[in-house]
Amino acid sequence: MASPFLCFTLLFLTLCTADGYEHYTSTRCLFNSTELKDMELIRSYYYNKLEYVRFSSSVGKFVGYTEFGVKNAEYWNNDYGQLAQMRAEKKRSCQYYCRLWYTNVLTKSVKPSVRLHSTTPPGGHHPAMLVCSVYNFYPKQIKVSWLRDGQEVTSDITSTEEYANADWLYQVHSKLEYLPRSGQKISCVVEHASLKEPLIIDWVPPMPETERLVIVGAVGMILGLIIFLAGVIYTRKSGDPSSSHRFSEKHAESWNKDPAALSLWRPQKEMVHKSGSELCYTNVLSKSVMPSVRLQAMTPPGGHHLPLLLCSVYDFYHKQVKKKGQEVATDVTNSGGTAGADGLCQALVDHLASR
């Protein structure tokens, strides 16, 4: 878990570069109490990463670390206005800004998200490895541990440092080498300030490939059987007219008992059938349509039969065809001369046209 003591640093940087050289200052506010007591202001001056002079509020003056820094410290310590300004900077910068940051940021916490998965080290010469990845938590302090069958594991563990995500959140990863055993229970335990109690994630081994294939096949068979049975039931119900017959019989029985309905339907014969029959006979049945005729020669396949003449008659009405009071067949086969066939077809056409 996070330590009960806090130690934070608030930085103010001033950079100045010229001709490849870099000069910058760093202002830090150090405190280790939630009440912001015993706070120390440290302002350091650097040239090319080398600190040459520093002011500390606990010392109360500038201290030089190089020849140039000693000269600057001596000059600034003799300037009482400069010393008074730096001593007041502790209250203006550190106490004000740290109280603001602590109230709005440092007292907040974000619960972590945990992912537990297995991986196989390259080469295949190492045991299997479990990785417990903890993401997006704040503050930085966190503890990740392992349990095997309820007992804490202290060996074969590799953990990373807490990585900053550049958004005030952190992540950490812990790895455990293990030999898979049947019935063994392995858990990852996460302890953080945002959690009221430790978060325990149990490792569930993946199902073997053969078992997964068997389950997928069984599920597929069950679904196929359900679809087949549903189709059979639907087909039988849609093809069975008993339900519609029973429905019609019930309506007929109720209508026969209603005198008003019977009196309404009985005059329909005179109103519909008689007038409809007269209308149909006058406008349809007494009419005729002149046929179209086509006469053509055909040679039977194989060359062992006499040539045929085909007389085709299209689009005529009525259906019945008669010649001189006798019925004439519409399909005629004549193996004689063309004159006989032409005469028969011409007589048929003349007869149809005369109707």
Side-chain angles (χ1 to χ4, degrees):
M1 294 294 291
S3 173
F5 298 100
L6 301 175
C7 182
F8 296 99
T9 303
L10 187 64
L11 298 177
F12 302 91
L13 299 178
T14 303
L15 302 178
C16 180
T17 61
D19 298 332
Y21 296 96
E22 184 177 60
H23 178 271
Y24 61 94
T25 63
S26 170
T27 303
R28 293 172 289 172
C29 300
L30 304 181
F31 61 97
N32 59 5
S33 172
T34 58
E35 299 178 359
L36 306 181
K37 295 180 179 180
D38 301 326
M39 184 174 293
E40 180 182 10
L41 168 69
I42 298 177
R43 174 168 293 180
S44 300
Y45 297 79
Y46 295 86
Y47 183 74
N48 282 353
K49 299 183 180 181
L50 178 64
E51 184 181 12
Y52 64 91
V53 67
R54 172 190 294 185
F55 174 84
S56 173
S57 61
S58 60
V59 178
K61 64 179 182 177
F62 289 91
V63 178
Y65 298 101
T66 65
E67 181 180 355
F68 180 73
V70 170
K71 291 181 180 181
N72 279 272
E74 182 180 357
Y75 175 77
W76 288 336
N77 288 331
N78 292 327
D79 186 348
Y80 294 104
Q82 179 77 3
L83 284 178
Q85 180 182 357
M86 292 303 300
R87 289 167 181 170
E89 193 71 15
K90 172 183 177 181
K91 182 178 181 180
R92 188 185 71 87
S93 296
C94 287
Q95 292 182 351
Y96 174 76
Y97 285 109
C98 287
R99 182 175 291 105
L100 183 65
W101 280 58
Y102 186 82
T103 304
N104 294 277
V105 179
L106 300 181
T107 57
K108 309 301 180 183
S109 61
V110 179
K111 293 183 179 181
S113 58
V114 184
R115 181 190 175 210
L116 183 58
H117 62 282
S118 64
T119 182
T120 302
H125 302 292
H126 301 278
M129 184 173 293
L130 290 179
V131 181
C132 185
S133 299
V134 187
Y135 300 98
N136 302 329
F137 58 88
Y138 183 86
K140 179 180 179 180
Q141 293 75 17
I142 195 170
K143 180 182 178 181
V144 181
S145 58
W146 294 88
L147 296 177
R148 180 185 285 117
D149 295 332
Q151 301 295 324
E152 185 175 359
V153 181
T154 57
S155 60
D156 301 328
I157 298 176
T158 304
S159 298
T160 64
E161 297 292 334
E162 294 83 357
Y163 295 121
N165 293 344
D167 57 357
W168 287 93
L169 302 179
Y170 296 87
Q171 61 175 290
V172 68
H173 306 271
S174 180
K175 301 178 181 179
L176 171 66
E177 296 183 359
Y178 79 107
L179 293 174
R181 297 177 183 175
S182 178
Q184 189 178 59
K185 182 180 180 181
I186 299 178
S187 306
C188 174
V189 183
V190 178
E191 299 176 73
H192 189 253
S194 63
L195 302 172
K196 295 181 179 180
E197 57 185 15
L199 180 61
I200 302 177
I201 306 298
D202 297 328
W203 164 243
V204 179
M207 187 178 299
E209 185 68 20
T210 55
E211 294 185 10
R212 282 189 297 187
L213 292 177
V214 171
I215 293 177
V216 170
V219 172
M221 291 180 62
I222 293 174
L223 289 177
L225 181 60
I226 292 174
I227 294 174
F228 173 75
L229 293 177
V232 171
I233 294 173
Y234 175 78
T235 303
R236 289 187 176 181
K237 285 187 175 181
S238 61
D240 184 12
S242 58
S243 58
S244 60
H245 287 173
R246 289 193 298 269
F247 180 77
S248 301
E249 291 175 356
K250 289 182 179 180
H251 274 275
E253 184 179 355
S254 62
W255 289 341
N256 289 331
K257 294 179 180 180
D258 188 355
L262 290 177
S263 62
L264 178 66
W265 281 101
R266 283 168 180 168
Q268 297 298 318
K269 177 179 179 181
E270 298 294 331
M271 297 173 58
V272 178
H273 293 281
K274 184 175 181 180
S275 60
S277 300
E278 293 177 353
L279 183 65
C280 181
Y281 184 82
T282 304
N283 294 278
V284 178
L285 299 181
S286 61
K287 306 299 180 182
S288 63
V289 180
M290 182 177 293
S292 58
V293 183
R294 180 186 179 191
L295 183 63
Q296 59 181 343
M298 294 183 59
T299 302
H304 301 293
H305 301 278
L306 296 176
L308 297 177
L309 285 178
L310 179 62
C311 182
S312 302
V313 185
Y314 304 96
D315 303 331
F316 59 90
Y317 184 83
H318 297 278
K319 177 180 178 182
Q320 293 78 10
V321 179
K322 293 184 179 181
K323 180 181 178 183
K324 296 181 181 180
Q326 296 179 354
E327 186 175 352
V328 181
T330 55
D331 297 328
V332 179
T333 301
N334 192 347
S335 61
T338 57
D342 292 342
L344 179 61
C345 188
Q346 185 64 36
L348 178 61
V349 173
D350 293 342
H351 174 70
L352 292 174
S354 65
R355 293 184 61 86

